[in-house]
Amino acid sequence: MKLDGFGIMVDDMAVMVRFYRDVLGFEIKEDENAENVFLEKDGTLFLLYRKSDFEKMTNRKFTYCSGVNGHYEIALSVENYAAVDKAYKELTAAGAESVLEPTTEPWGQRTCYVADPEGNLIEIGSFTE
């Protein structure tokens, strides 16, 4: 098997599409009001599934995290430490919720965390000064 992509379950498709497309620069593959929206970032397929539509399709109910949650993270890398700081400022100015301000970790990575509009964690990091 080959990894093709990954998906997240969303409540408000339009808000989430606009965040990932307009704020993070993911390429959208279809209309933002579709039941399932396919986006792409750096050759990786990123799927947004509307929770209610997915439950209807699978004929079952699921439990979901709410608020800012640590269920998983989406990790994005940038070219250097200064780019981490810049991305953090841009993302929080665009409405992403701050989770961890840019910090240089003992293992040499400069990293920060924000949350998307539905509370999913996004890490921005670099190992290059």
Side-chain angles (χ1 to χ4, degrees):
M1 286 183 264
K2 176 183 166 235
L3 177 64
D4 191 36
F6 62 98
I8 61 172
M9 306 301 170
V10 304
D11 288 310
D12 192 328
M13 185 66 77
V15 166
M16 294 294 277
V17 166
R18 284 191 298 270
F19 179 81
Y20 282 94
R21 180 190 63 209
D22 302 341
V23 176
L24 291 179
F26 285 49
E27 181 184 341
I28 189 168
K29 297 294 187 183
E30 59 203 305
D31 182 75
E32 68 185 48
N33 294 313
E35 289 181 6
N36 303 315
V37 174
F38 293 63
L39 298 114
E40 188 175 306
K41 182 74 168 171
D42 303 317
T44 299
L45 184 61
F46 183 73
L47 307 139
L48 299 178
Y49 297 104
R50 187 177 285 112
K51 292 173 186 175
S52 58
D53 293 333
F54 192 77
E55 289 181 351
K56 183 178 178 183
M57 180 182 77
T58 60
N59 197 31
R60 69 182 295 166
K61 291 285 186 190
F62 297 94
T63 58
Y64 302 100
C65 295
S66 63
V68 175
N69 67 81
H71 189 71
Y72 65 88
E73 73 168 47
I74 297 167
L76 301 172
S77 63
V78 292
E79 58 274 10
N80 56 41
Y81 286 11
V84 172
D85 296 2
K86 181 180 179 204
Y88 174 82
K89 287 178 187 172
E90 290 173 352
L91 291 173
T92 55
E97 183 174 344
S98 174
V99 175
L100 174 69
E101 292 183 7
T103 303
T104 303
E105 299 293 354
W107 51 86
Q109 180 188 31
R110 184 133 178 103
T111 189
C112 67
Y113 280 88
V114 298
D116 72 18
E118 293 192 7
N120 303 297
L121 295 179
I122 300 166
E123 178 188 22
I124 312 295
S126 179
F127 284 95
T128 304
E129 284 189 52

